[in-house]
Amino acid sequence: MSLRQIKEFFVQKLILICGLASIFFVVLIFLFLTKEGLAVFKTVRPLDFIFGKSWYPISEPAQLGILPLIFGSLIVTLGAAIISIPIGIACAVYIAEIAPLKIKEILKAGIELLAAIPSVVLGFIGMVTLVPWVKSTFHLPTGLTALSGSIILAFMAMPTIVSVAEDALYSVPKSYKEGAFALGATHWQTIYRVLLPAASSGIVAAVMLGIGRVIGETMAVMMITGNAAVIPQSILVPVRTLTATIAAEMGEAVVGSEHYFALFAIGIVLFTMSFIINVTADLFLHKRK
């Protein structure tokens, strides 16, 4: 074997080891969550835990219903998706097909910079600027609402959506565009009727990955959503998400207590939701038409 073949052999094995290690660590995380989280079901029925409407873990007796937390996560995620998906896809189309080269490079650098901003910084900016604006605009007693969380999380999801969707559009064969132009289609007709359908699997994957980022976010939503564990009646009321509950209460929970195990059970729910979203995104990303 030549020196080049030896190097390639070791690089291939190293990549294989890294891939297997990532799977191994994910399995260990799931097993640890399962071991700690399932213990809560010795005292609480699974249906009461999932569909219970009251979250009072330190009361006597403890009320461990996470339905308000699930609804809080869903309404914040839905609001962020409604804001980020149209803007993100429009930005991806503009960068991939319309923007001049110099502007394209500037926009891509700006998107990468936005993705690099820590969530706690975005949460602080939201507390200082967005929360007072929501309060005064909608004449609310507090601006710490699901709407505030949705807007901030939309900014956090957009870099992922734009980057993956732009790559999907860029990977569409050039012959598709040339064929559309040859048939007399305009630039916008080519984008709408040819490029977007051809890149649909990648765009859907971008959306799913962006939603996965939103569901797993902690600090920003904990800072600006109000942390009220009640079933929301609208997007203009305080809510509490699953991630914020774990972050806010894990430090106070007594190790081995019912409250402690319930927080790990919430982790299982979050892990399952994120896993489903990422698997769905992967299936769309590798879809063959």
Side-chain angles (χ1 to χ4, degrees):
M1 293 179 63
S2 64
L3 180 61
R4 180 178 179 181
Q5 290 175 327
I6 294 175
K7 289 181 179 179
E8 290 179 352
F9 174 80
F10 279 107
V11 169
Q12 290 175 358
K13 297 304 179 183
L14 180 61
I15 293 173
L16 176 62
I17 292 172
C18 291
L20 294 176
S22 63
I23 297 174
F24 178 70
F25 290 141
V26 170
V27 172
L28 284 182
I29 291 171
F30 180 74
L31 291 177
F32 178 74
L33 286 175
T34 303
K35 173 181 174 295
E36 298 292 334
L38 293 182
V40 74
F41 298 129
K42 295 179 181 178
T43 56
V44 181
R45 293 190 307 167
L47 290 179
D48 292 338
F49 181 76
I50 298 295
F51 297 106
K53 298 181 180 180
S54 299
W55 176 258
Y56 300 108
I58 58 175
S59 64
E60 291 294 340
Q63 300 181 45
L64 302 174
I66 66 169
L67 190 62
L69 312 181
I70 294 175
F71 271 106
S73 295
L74 291 178
I75 193 172
V76 170
T77 301
L78 180 61
I82 291 173
I83 297 171
S84 62
I85 291 173
I87 298 176
I89 295 176
C91 289
V93 171
Y94 180 77
I95 292 173
E97 296 296 328
I98 301 172
L101 182 59
K102 291 184 178 179
I103 297 179
K104 181 184 298 187
E105 295 299 326
I106 294 173
L107 290 176
K108 293 184 71 173
I111 290 170
E112 293 174 359
L113 180 62
L114 180 61
I117 299 176
S119 60
V120 67
V121 174
L122 288 175
F124 177 74
I125 294 173
M127 289 182 65
V128 175
T129 60
L130 180 61
V131 168
W133 178 82
V134 171
K135 178 181 178 180
S136 60
T137 301
F138 296 97
H139 306 290
L140 302 172
T142 177
L144 300 171
T145 62
L147 176 62
S148 302
S150 296
I151 294 174
I152 289 296
L153 290 182
F155 278 100
M156 301 181 69
M158 272 192 286
T160 301
I161 295 175
V162 173
S163 297
V164 179
E166 193 264 337
D167 289 339
L169 289 167
Y170 186 78
S171 65
V172 174
K174 300 300 181 184
S175 59
Y176 285 28
K177 184 191 298 186
E178 295 169 356
F181 287 154
L183 291 172
T186 65
H187 194 187
W188 285 107
Q189 287 174 332
T190 302
I191 292 173
Y192 176 68
R193 295 184 178 274
V194 178
L195 298 181
L196 286 177
S200 60
S201 60
I203 293 173
V204 172
V207 170
M208 299 300 289
L209 291 173
I211 293 175
R213 169 77 189 278
V214 168
I215 287 181
E217 183 50 47
T218 303
M219 288 304 302
V221 292
M222 187 169 66
M223 295 171 70
I224 63 175
T225 55
N227 291 315
V230 294
I231 296 178
Q233 302 299 320
S234 73
I235 201 170
L236 297 176
V237 297
V239 297
R240 169 174 279 201
T241 63
L242 295 166
T243 52
T245 301
I246 296 174
E249 299 181 9
M250 183 57 76
E252 302 175 357
V254 178
V255 177
S257 65
E258 192 177 33
H259 184 196
Y260 176 84
F261 293 133
L263 293 177
F264 275 98
I266 293 176
I268 296 175
V269 175
L270 270 173
F271 185 92
T272 304
M273 294 170 63
S274 299
F275 180 78
I276 292 173
I277 289 172
N278 282 280
V279 168
T280 304
D282 189 72
L283 292 175
F284 275 105
L285 193 61
H286 293 89
K287 183 179 179 182
R288 293 292 182 265
K289 292 190 176 181

